[in-house]
Amino acid sequence: MAKLKTAVLISGRGSNLQALIDYCKSEDSAAEIKLVLSNTPGAAGLDRASEAGIVSKVINHKNFSNRKSFERALTETLENYSVELICLAGFMRLLTSSFVKYWHNKIINIHPSLLPAFKGLNSHERALKAGVKFTGCTVHYVRAEMDTGPIIVQAAVPILQEDDPESLANRVLIAEHRCFSHALSLIAQDKIKIINEKVLIQGPKAPGVYFLNPIE
Ligand code: GRF
């Protein structure tokens, strides 16, 4: 079966990109990364792409006079590579509603919180401030409003008493890598339907009944 032609959009370090590269390298992967795009020249993730032999390009938003023309360049490049799915992996530009509509149900994003809680930046700081015992990460289809859209996979990550934003971010990142490749594999295997803006997964494996934090 043909593999799902995927693009990964990054702005920085690219550890989530690496998780997707590793998944796509596995024998039974149903997706292939055709292209990595960065809006930031010199982003560390670009080296990960070249090490994996994947085409990468920089489309620097600063070279465009407005969002529309930047996004036109993105779309043109994505279409040149016949991309069928766009993964936002730490891509730090907001996308306009017309871009999101054009690529409807073809863009997924990873966010480091259990959405709809803690949308936007600094989610770990805010989770710590709120005193919640769990946070986590979410992979979701992208809609025009920031950090919204049908949720594909989430992981709950416990917050420990001694956590600071950095230690928490490091723990959540481990879950992000797992969630993102899991979501990509579900989509690539055509196991997902979106009905009334909710994701239905074919034959999902159920997790435990509940998780306790702190444990007794
Ligand atoms: C991740 O925490 C992601 O959830 C957020 O930005 C970070 C990117 O990290 N949107 P990396 O570039 O994938 O290492």
Side-chain angles (χ1 to χ4, degrees), residues 6-20:
T6 306
V8 185
L9 271 55
I10 60 166
S11 299
R13 166 181 66 177
S15 70
N16 278 290
L17 163 65
Q18 189 66 54
L20 299 180

Side-chain angles (χ1 to χ4, degrees), residues 8-19 44-45 48 88-92 109-113 120-121 123-124 136-138 147 169 172-173 176-177 180:
V8 185
L9 271 55
I10 60 166
S11 299
R13 166 181 66 177
S15 70
N16 278 290
L17 163 65
Q18 189 66 54
R48 299 180 189 265
L88 305 181
F91 183 68
M92 300 308 282
N109 178 49
I110 183 135
H111 182 75
S113 76
L121 295 173
S123 43
H124 301 307
C137 60
T138 304
D147 296 330
V172 171
L173 196 62
E176 289 186 42
H177 298 160
F180 217 172

Side-chain angles (χ1 to χ4, degrees), residues 117-136:
F118 310 121
K119 293 173 181 167
L121 295 173
N122 306 318
S123 43
H124 301 307
E125 282 87 336
R126 287 181 290 132
L128 288 169
K129 204 163 168 206
V132 292
K133 298 291 184 207
F134 285 98
T135 183

Side-chain angles (χ1 to χ4, degrees), residues 48-174:
R48 299 180 189 265
S50 69
E51 267 161 42
I54 298 169
V55 176
S56 67
K57 293 188 187 297
V58 174
I59 300 183
N60 186 347
H61 60 282
K62 290 186 181 155
N63 295 339
F64 296 85
S65 54
N66 54 44
R67 275 185 202 274
K68 293 255 160 179
S69 53
F70 168 62
E71 290 177 354
R72 258 199 303 274
L74 289 181
T75 291
E76 201 180 299
T77 311
L78 293 163
E79 287 182 341
N80 283 342
Y81 286 82
S82 308
V83 166
E84 299 165 303
L85 182 77
I86 300 168
C87 296
L88 305 181
F91 183 68
M92 300 308 282
R93 300 301 297 167
L94 288 176
L95 296 165
T96 65
S97 61
S98 53
F99 183 89
V100 171
K101 278 187 189 133
Y102 186 79
W103 292 97
H104 187 65
N105 288 347
K106 291 184 174 152
I107 314 175
I108 64 173
N109 178 49
I110 183 135
H111 182 75
S113 76
L114 284 175
L115 291 174
F118 310 121
K119 293 173 181 167
L121 295 173
N122 306 318
S123 43
H124 301 307
E125 282 87 336
R126 287 181 290 132
L128 288 169
K129 204 163 168 206
V132 292
K133 298 291 184 207
F134 285 98
T135 183
C137 60
T138 304
V139 182
H140 63 98
Y141 283 98
V142 169
R143 296 294 181 256
E145 206 184 310
M146 185 188 60
D147 296 330
T148 63
I151 290 171
I152 307 164
V153 179
Q154 289 188 305
V157 176
I159 294 183
L160 308 184
Q161 215 145 276
E162 60 272 23
D163 269 332
D164 58 23
E166 198 191 337
S167 62
L168 182 54
N170 290 338
R171 192 174 316 113
V172 171
L173 196 62
I174 298 168

